[in-house]
Amino acid sequence: PIDLIRKYFGEKIGLYFAWLGLYTEFLIPSSVVGIIVFLYGCITMESDIPSKEMCDQEKAFTMCPLCDKSCDYWNLSTACATARASHLFDNPATVFFSIFMALWAAMFLEQWKRLQMRLGYFWDLTGLEEEEFSNACLDLCVLQQDEKEKLTWRDRTPGYLVNVASILFMITLTFSAVFGVTVYRITTAAALSISKNESTRSNVRVTVTATAVIINLVVILILDEIYGAVAKWLTEMEVPKTEKTFEERLILKAFLLKFVNSYAPIFYVAFFKGRFVGRPGSYVYVFDGYRMEECAPGGCLMELCIQLSIIMLGKQLIQNNLFEIGIPKLKMLFRKLKDERTEKKESDSNHSKHPQQWDLDYMLEPFTGLTPEYMEMIIQFGFVTLFVASFPLAPVFALLNNVIEVRLDAKKFVSELRRPDTVREKDIGIWYNILSGIGKFSVIINAFVISVTSDFIPRLVYQYAYSQNGTMHGFINHTLSYFNVSHLKSGTQPDNSQFEHEVIFCRYKDYREPPWSPNQYEFSKQYWSVLSARLAFVILFQNLVMFLSALVDWMIPDIPKDISEQIKKEKSMLVDFFLKEEHEKLKLIESFIMRDKHRNKGETKGRRNRAASFCQFSRSQRGSFTSFSSQHTEV
Amino acid sequence: PIDLIRKYFGEKIGLYFAWLGLYTEFLIPSSVVGIIVFLYGCITMESDIPSKEMCDQEKAFTMCPLCDKSCDYWNLSTACATARASHLFDNPATVFFSIFMALWAAMFLEQWKRLQMRLGYFWDLTGLEEEEFSNACLDLCVLQQDEKEKLTWRDRTPGYLVNVASILFMITLTFSAVFGVTVYRITTAAALSISKNESTRSNVRVTVTATAVIINLVVILILDEIYGAVAKWLTEMEVPKTEKTFEERLILKAFLLKFVNSYAPIFYVAFFKGRFVGRPGSYVYVFDGYRMEECAPGGCLMELCIQLSIIMLGKQLIQNNLFEIGIPKLKMLFRKLKDERTEKKESDSNHSKHPQQWDLDYMLEPFTGLTPEYMEMIIQFGFVTLFVASFPLAPVFALLNNVIEVRLDAKKFVSELRRPDTVREKDIGIWYNILSGIGKFSVIINAFVISVTSDFIPRLVYQYAYSQNGTMHGFINHTLSYFNVSHLKSGTQPDNSQFEHEVIFCRYKDYREPPWSPNQYEFSKQYWSVLSARLAFVILFQNLVMFLSALVDWMIPDIPKDISEQIKKEKSMLVDFFLKEEHEKLKLIESFIMRDKHRNKGETKGRRNRAASFCQFSRSQRGSFTSFSSQHTEV
């Protein structure tokens, strides 16, 4: 019931709910497609040759140990489960899906533009630049004040510098947090793998990953709160001129910080984890004894997927719903208690037992602006678009969350907050730019996720370039390089190996020259060919998608046809009306003058002049009209 | 003198000259930078190691023959000149320059938007939607007619189909023309190289290239004329509704065809020529006996450069200036002759020896619209932006051409054409979209030219990956692969070789395994690594430039500050003025009524009602005003 909301809460909140509604609507098709893609993964899992090859016990590959000394060689077939699971998200359908989602985002933005136009027309928000204008005046006043206070650039620069500095500091803080979690993961992995207990050893990876992600989540949640405060503080330091600019800058900062904060760990897993492991014999060590961590044999995509789902769900459940509902309730409780205590004291002085309505209203929480609401939605939009290639179920979760979200927000606004004083807004302002920015960014990110993180490209390359019979048989063998155990640095060999027969060659997941080649352990030709295929794919994907979304953008007009028609009609009507009015007026005046004619001639002059002035005025008015009414279609 | 032009010719032509002026202004800095880049090339030419290595006679490389049988092995040092020349355009500065030009384009578009706003304000073109509106009405009328004539979709579809079909046909025609020229080049090259005459043999390449390009140019010029006519014909077949849509569609078609027409040969040279040559022993043959053509040893960039300069200059000189000035003159001459003949007959009947001014005016050519003027400029803009990486002097030539162009156009409009009836236009319409489209397209094109056509990336790769001492020494040797002469197919060996000592290995420009490697003549690891470096560069370049131009777009506001300020002021003034007027009017009326009061009471009623209606009307007016004046800032 957008119109009611608007009537009660004013345009700003009305627009928010309208936007939320449209977004939720748009999530429906995407989540349907997402589910289909997921099901496709489930169905084709059985027929997927690489995972079959990984799982069969006969020709098992002896892999090189995952850590020094304490870890033993291991059979690839033990990683069978993860391989199967990762196929769920790492199949050709996801490529299609990410293209679909990119277009979906473009379509959504276009539709929002149209809806905004329509609402703007029906709620006539067209009279809004007036406020904008008065704002600008205020702007000037403030400017003059500034000049009085000599707030010149020289005074402003330190503020800006502090801004930049502290933002950079925050970002580094985030990264260091991510790094910290990584170190935690590495160390605990090592520690657990040493432990004698068999059961813990067996599921090291699972426990470590899970705990690490949860830590990540907690860190994110805490930092989010901090960053919100910091952004506010920084913006106040900038002394922006008007309310509007203040809000915009605040939003920009807060968004930047929270965006980095929520996505840093995901970016790490997607693009950096397991890239700098080195190779057996010359591993990269974070600090001595602790290797850089590798991805699961099923590829990093699986971990990325876990990371995404946990962070996304956790953030939504805890932050959006628990915080949003819980905190206000607590606050309210607290306030009530306080009030009651005060009541006690005053009880004898005033005798009204039943508190009046306004008292009750006063007891509610004050309205703190829409920014947090938008923020969480935008971040969610990011989850839905940015990494959709690795987690096709994201839209589904988003949809579920929003369906609850709308109700909760509504409830909150109606019953738990004081009624906010209505603000008229023509559009959702800077949020739109942020959205479209995310849309553009998502294209390149998805391109990289598909080409770099997933095994999609290597499979294609193998199938069409290296495979003998054009099938995927022998893909796993092709992706694993040989390593001669004797080349392991002394002290890093696994002690007490379970393997009965002596291990000569162990395998590791990389494209490198085998030990018997002249330049051993260098990147092999396969590596470079696969790499170029990946990059080529990125270029292709990015330009294709950009072209398509440009097409969508071009084909959907911003102003709905009917609206523009109506506006035109109205305009013409208005113009006609004015001219008619003018004529009538003139006639009237003339008639007066006529009637006065036959009375004392002396007076008439003045009036005739007036009449003249009228005609002239009316003309000018008509002129100005044509020029005015012209603006309408611009909107 | 834009304002004068506008006064005399009307806004449309005024805008054209304004645009042309801004464009020419913007060409100045870019051409300055272009010259600097070129000079940089000249200066560093001496110190360029690769071209030195190519030129020194001592360790000369025996290259494989360029054609079967008739061609002999040859020394790379003979291609010294071209290598040196190509360094002029193939140096690091060009990379910088193409980034610069991409930003230049973005900046230009932004500035044009601002200028357009300013002009629109000063010429108050804001009253223009009126016509737009009447247009729309016309639109509706035509629509009704259509409905009478039953021009439903079913009737339109064939028209559209014919459109698409014929456009595709045209494009294929263009490509076939290009292919034809290629074949010509191949065959003549072969023919000439057989000829006994030494001198012809020596400069085969030069003659062939030159002639071929000239043929290309002629073909382009002819096809251009044809396509212009075809586009018109097609658009008429579409039966578009209004004048505006007609023009837009015509422009789109004409542009599409002419664009493909002018750039097809250049694209061929830039991206396809010399890519599908095959390798010695297994060459690719177009038809038997004729190999695919290779690029000059200096890289394809040189040829691209020649192609560009000749086509660009030729097109400008011949088409723009010669056609534009010559044809009208001829036509006028023709008309004069005819008129004089008629004059003769009528001479006895009428006695006015000196023809009147209107006769003279009538003798002039009719005005045929601005489309061709814009078209040539846009195509030129394409030359300046699209392939600027390969030909940094393009802006200079464009600048020179435009300086002449402006004068010529002015002269033409003033003295050689009938004065066109003034048309009011708010903007340059679809041309703007085309411009920005070219701007976006140029980014990716330049990225590919630098990475694929030029030797920039291979050099970097060699310097940082393969070179022993980090210098460019041995680069040439590195880019040339070995070929064992004995592997040449029988009958393709060069008969009567001039080389005294027996040739065992000949070299060819490609990254392939040497004969002594297990998998000989396959693409080597270098090939793949260089390829991936190239693709990586494309991605990097494209995203960097896109980001930067987005930044430019975001930082430069579309409406100049002062203009928006003025608009606001005016608006408020206007509103106040209106309210004042209203008040005065009311007062006046009241006074009338008052004065009538003490006269016959009966009459007054009617008048009072009128007065009431006025107040109410004035209120409505005020209301509408706030809503109207709001639009201004949208513009």
Side-chain angles (χ1 to χ4, degrees), chain A residues 126 129 133 523 525 528 532 535 542-543 574 578 585 588 592 607 621 625 628 630-631 633 635, chain B residues 126 129 523 525 532 535 542-543 568 574 578 585 592 607 610 621 625 628 630-631 633-635:
Chain A
T126 45
E129 295 314 316
F133 174 60
F523 284 118
K525 194 194 292 179
W528 292 112
S532 44
L535 295 173
Q542 188 187 6
N543 287 294
L574 204 49
F578 261 87
K585 224 175 294 169
L588 177 72
F592 274 125
R607 267 182 238 108
Q621 188 184 34
F625 246 80
F628 265 156
S630 75
Q631 313 312 331
T633 45
V635 185
Chain B
T126 43
E129 295 315 316
F523 285 119
K525 193 195 292 180
S532 44
L535 295 174
Q542 188 186 6
N543 288 293
K568 278 176 182 170
L574 203 49
F578 260 88
K585 223 174 296 169
F592 274 127
R607 259 180 247 112
R610 279 222 203 69
Q621 190 186 33
F625 245 83
F628 264 152
S630 74
Q631 314 311 334
T633 46
E634 300 307 289
V635 185

Side-chain angles (χ1 to χ4, degrees), chain A residues 250-302:
Chain A
L250 175 59
I251 289 172
L252 260 185
K253 281 194 200 56
F255 172 75
L256 184 65
L257 290 174
K258 294 195 174 187
F259 184 83
V260 172
N261 182 22
S262 339
Y263 290 110
I266 298 171
F267 271 97
Y268 167 72
V269 174
F271 300 125
F272 300 109
K273 187 176 180 186
R275 299 260 175 283
F276 313 110
V277 186
R279 58 172 185 78
S282 74
Y283 281 114
V284 177
Y285 290 93
V286 197
F287 35 84
D288 57 354
Y290 294 113
R291 270 199 223 155
M292 280 299 287
E293 56 187 348
E294 299 182 44
C295 285
C300 281
L301 201 66
M302 197 58 221

Side-chain angles (χ1 to χ4, degrees), chain A residues 521-569:
Chain A
Y521 305 137
E522 277 183 6
F523 284 118
S524 65
K525 194 194 292 179
Q526 282 81 349
Y527 174 83
W528 292 112
S529 55
V530 167
L531 180 60
S532 44
R534 287 181 156 159
L535 295 173
F537 176 83
V538 170
I539 295 174
L540 192 73
F541 183 90
Q542 188 187 6
N543 287 294
L544 174 70
V545 172
M546 282 198 318
F547 173 73
L548 286 180
S549 25
L551 211 64
V552 168
D553 201 350
W554 179 67
M555 289 208 307
I556 301 178
D558 288 0
I559 306 178
K561 195 96 190 74
D562 54 343
I563 297 294
S564 55
E565 286 302 327
Q566 260 167 312
I567 289 172
K568 277 177 183 169
K569 280 206 198 64

Side-chain angles (χ1 to χ4, degrees), chain B residues 6 9 70 75 228 243 259 287 313 315 321 353 370 376 384 397 460 474 492 506 509-511 548 610 629:
Chain B
R6 173 240 173 177
F9 287 114
S70 52
N75 258 332
E243 203 47 43
F259 184 83
F287 33 83
L313 289 178
K315 234 173 108 50
N321 305 342
K353 288 282 163 290
L370 277 169
E376 80 189 41
V384 174
F397 290 127
L460 279 185
T492 62
C506 71
K509 196 175 194 313
D510 205 345
Y511 293 101
L548 286 180
R610 279 222 203 69
S629 41

